Amino acid sequence: MQFQLGAEMAERLFIPPAHGFYGGKSMFIRTVFLALALSGAITTASAVQAAPTASMPLMKADGVVHIRSSHGFDETVTRLKAAIAAKGVRFFDAIDLQQQGAEAKLPIAKSTIVRFGNPPLGVQFLQANRYAGLDWPVRMLVVEEADGSVSLAWTDFQFMAKRYGITTLDAQFKMAADVAGAIAADAAK
């Protein structure tokens, strides 16, 4: 695939040199940002070719648990936050992915990521493998399907254990799976 850096992207990538010089740490940081931007732009260009729309069905993925909600999208998000609070689990944030798409002029169906967790439990996974931080805190996705139904989805905890090669925390993964499943069930029923 051929890729050209547009003038707007080039302007966004300009990072003024620290203390008036272009070498050393400043140059390294600029190079890293440029590489990240180019990889993201190439990925974005590939995604634009597929042109996902708001009416496309949810794609299935390995290691992902899905359940249907009995409620509309907004009610499911509200119920999910309430279920997290009722379990005494820490709520971190909710990210409106449809809004993010709209800001990028890339339409998608309603979808929100809700991040939550129990640090005394989740940090144990990070102690076993720091890269488990890619999946912690827990991320639960609420999506509106093409038919108008609503689903909740999250990464299967056994999949995470295998992904990060964590073999000594089976009870903790089971506990996390049970809590996340109960939270999702409460939000969906």
Side-chain angles (χ1 to χ4, degrees), residues 25-67:
K25 188 175 181 180
S26 176
M27 182 57 101
F28 173 76
I29 291 170
R30 289 165 32 123
T31 303
V32 168
F33 276 116
L34 180 59
L36 289 172
L38 288 174
S39 67
I42 291 169
T43 302
T44 301
S46 299
V48 170
Q49 289 175 355
T53 66
S55 64
M56 288 181 70
L58 175 70
M59 303 302 289
K60 304 301 179 203
D62 290 341
V64 176
V65 180
H66 297 267
I67 65 169

Side-chain angles (χ1 to χ4, degrees), residues 95-141:
I95 302 168
D96 182 337
L97 300 176
Q98 185 182 42
Q99 178 185 351
Q100 298 291 314
E103 289 171 8
K105 295 182 176 50
L106 298 168
I108 60 171
K110 289 182 180 179
S111 56
T112 295
I113 286 278
V114 176
R115 297 189 303 180
F116 59 93
N118 177 0
L121 177 62
V123 171
Q124 293 179 59
F125 303 118
L126 302 176
Q127 288 176 322
N129 183 335
R130 291 176 59 189
Y131 291 102
L134 291 167
D135 286 305
W136 293 95
V138 176
R139 291 148 178 85
M140 195 165 286
L141 177 65

Side-chain angles (χ1 to χ4, degrees), residues 7-26:
E8 180 182 334
M9 180 66 81
E11 286 177 25
R12 280 193 254 158
L13 291 176
F14 176 72
I15 301 169
H19 308 293
F21 67 93
Y22 286 90
K25 188 175 181 180
S26 176

Side-chain angles (χ1 to χ4, degrees), residues 3-4 7 16 39 49 53 59 72 75 92 99 104 127 131 141 147 152 160 163 171 175 179 188:
F3 178 76
Q4 289 184 321
S39 67
Q49 289 175 355
T53 66
M59 303 302 289
E75 179 68 14
F92 291 102
Q99 178 185 351
Q127 288 176 322
Y131 291 102
L141 177 65
D147 64 2
L152 293 103
M160 280 190 233
R163 177 180 185 185
M175 180 185 298
V179 171

